[in-house]
Amino acid sequence: MKVQDIELPVLRMPHQVRLNPYLPVLRQETETWAREMGMLTGDETPSARPIWTRSQFHAMAVDQLTAWTLPDASLVGLRLNHRFNLWALAWDDHFAAAFKQTGDLAGAQAFTARLHAFLPPDPGARLPEPANAIEKGMADLQQRLFPPRLAHWRQGLNRALAGYIDAGVQELLNSRAGRVPDLIEYAQFRRESFAAYTAPYSVELATGARIPERIRHTRTVRALLDAFMDYMGLANDIASYQREVHDEYDVNNLVVVLETSLGITVQEAMHAAADLVSARLRHFEHLIRSELPPLVERAGLDQAERVELEAWLRGARSFLSGLHAWYTGAPRYAPVSGAVPVQRAAGAAAPARERHPSAT
């Protein structure tokens, strides 16, 4: 079935999107860091080095993404998360163009192996000299992401980033072999390939709040984080179906996984994917509403810990609603001509697009 014939489901999102008031400041400086890192060229003619032209860069609306997902962040936190978002998208677009579209597995493996050297567990480790925009961007972030009060970040965030870049090589292996990922293993793999394991750290940076240590490693909180991360990556598979499957010839997409595993049509797989994404969001909300309160009581969290937990949960909900707004409003994920978004009766209506600030 041609992508033009597919009806794109409107995903459920019960939380109203909010906008960070520092967006105008972020918008004024949005090109600065990308240009300094060598990710952005100054004209409309792509060269061998920069990853984006100015028109491509602004079509992504990354400043809007950051302001939507982190509405309560300080300017410092917003700016840092914005640079991180830029880096993640730069890696994604560079890896797709340089390796996925060419099938260059050896080049992808060498590129990834070098990038691991920019993710040291030791804060005093000496980094190699960056050889490209991706390495330069990560070297710069390594100097900024780990202030003393967030020292616990280094191992966890760098481990998540290592999983993200390694997943790119696995995606390339799958595509080269025509191997569609197994349905059961795909959710876990998608958390890595979407860099979803980095999202809890972004929420922490934006809110200044952590999930209290006394409950952080419980079954309930692990399930909560899994559902939180699953919505992000699996919803992205629906929004990016056109660019991933038809433009990049990628098999690592939930719609393709469901189509192949269940032996159904693309249209049926698209709706099944939307139902699965909505189910993960419902589970996230169920855990917050029904299972987290008794856990908090059993753990004996004090008032300060409860306030911190509530702040983190508000930040997580804002993160999801901001991603949803970006998926439905940014030109990077705009439906192709003829692909019509339709509301499924099974899901609650998403916030009307006109209520979202316009993407740049």
Side-chain angles (χ1 to χ4, degrees), residues 112-184:
T112 301
R114 264 194 58 89
L115 197 50
H116 271 279
F118 291 85
L119 304 172
D122 179 6
R126 185 180 180 84
L127 301 181
E129 186 66 26
N132 54 58
I134 303 301
E135 293 178 356
K136 188 174 182 180
M138 181 45 60
D140 186 75
L141 285 170
Q142 289 289 319
Q143 303 303 314
R144 303 173 188 272
L145 280 171
F146 307 110
R149 72 178 181 86
L150 297 175
H152 70 283
W153 270 32
R154 184 171 294 276
Q155 283 192 337
L157 184 57
N158 278 351
R159 184 166 55 246
L161 286 169
Y164 177 50
I165 63 176
D166 286 345
V169 174
Q170 184 59 53
E171 286 185 329
L172 178 56
L173 283 166
N174 289 343
S175 293
R176 277 170 52 103
R179 176 188 177 272
V180 177
D182 178 77
L183 177 58
I184 302 302

Side-chain angles (χ1 to χ4, degrees), residues 105-323:
L105 179 60
Q109 291 171 327
F111 173 75
T112 301
R114 264 194 58 89
L115 197 50
H116 271 279
F118 291 85
L119 304 172
D122 179 6
R126 185 180 180 84
L127 301 181
E129 186 66 26
N132 54 58
I134 303 301
E135 293 178 356
K136 188 174 182 180
M138 181 45 60
D140 186 75
L141 285 170
Q142 289 289 319
Q143 303 303 314
R144 303 173 188 272
L145 280 171
F146 307 110
R149 72 178 181 86
L150 297 175
H152 70 283
W153 270 32
R154 184 171 294 276
Q155 283 192 337
L157 184 57
N158 278 351
R159 184 166 55 246
L161 286 169
Y164 177 50
I165 63 176
D166 286 345
V169 174
Q170 184 59 53
E171 286 185 329
L172 178 56
L173 283 166
N174 289 343
S175 293
R176 277 170 52 103
R179 176 188 177 272
V180 177
D182 178 77
L183 177 58
I184 302 302
E185 71 182 17
Y186 185 68
Q188 168 68 38
F189 178 63
R190 190 62 178 125
R191 293 172 204 154
E192 296 175 349
S193 67
F194 188 70
Y197 285 106
T198 68
Y201 297 102
S202 290
V203 174
E204 282 189 33
L205 182 61
T207 62
R210 293 186 67 190
I211 297 174
E213 199 61 34
R214 282 193 275 176
I215 65 170
R216 175 182 291 272
H217 302 292
T218 61
R219 180 201 63 81
T220 297
V221 171
R222 288 199 302 269
L224 179 79
L225 290 173
D226 285 350
F228 171 65
M229 293 185 290
D230 285 347
Y231 181 90
M232 292 184 283
L234 300 181
N236 180 269
D237 279 355
I238 295 173
S240 62
Y241 178 81
Q242 157 73 11
R243 68 190 306 271
E244 287 183 356
V245 176
H246 290 265
D247 297 345
E248 298 173 6
Y249 307 105
D250 203 340
V251 298
N252 304 280
N253 183 283
L254 178 62
V255 178
V256 178
V257 170
L258 289 169
E259 178 192 5
T260 303
S261 299
L262 303 180
I264 56 180
T265 67
V266 177
Q267 185 66 75
E268 291 168 336
M270 185 69 74
H271 290 316
D275 288 341
L276 179 57
V277 169
S278 293
R280 296 307 284 151
L281 182 60
R282 286 195 300 271
H283 190 54
F284 174 74
E285 294 298 332
H286 164 77
L287 290 166
I288 293 174
R289 183 174 56 253
S290 301
E291 296 195 27
L292 206 53
L295 173 63
V296 167
E297 292 297 326
R298 290 195 303 271
L301 297 190
D302 60 31
Q303 185 61 27
E305 289 173 313
R306 294 177 187 224
V307 168
E308 190 164 20
L309 177 60
E310 285 299 320
W312 190 92
L313 291 172
R314 283 195 306 273
R317 282 168 162 157
S318 293
F319 198 92
L320 293 182
S321 65
L323 270 178

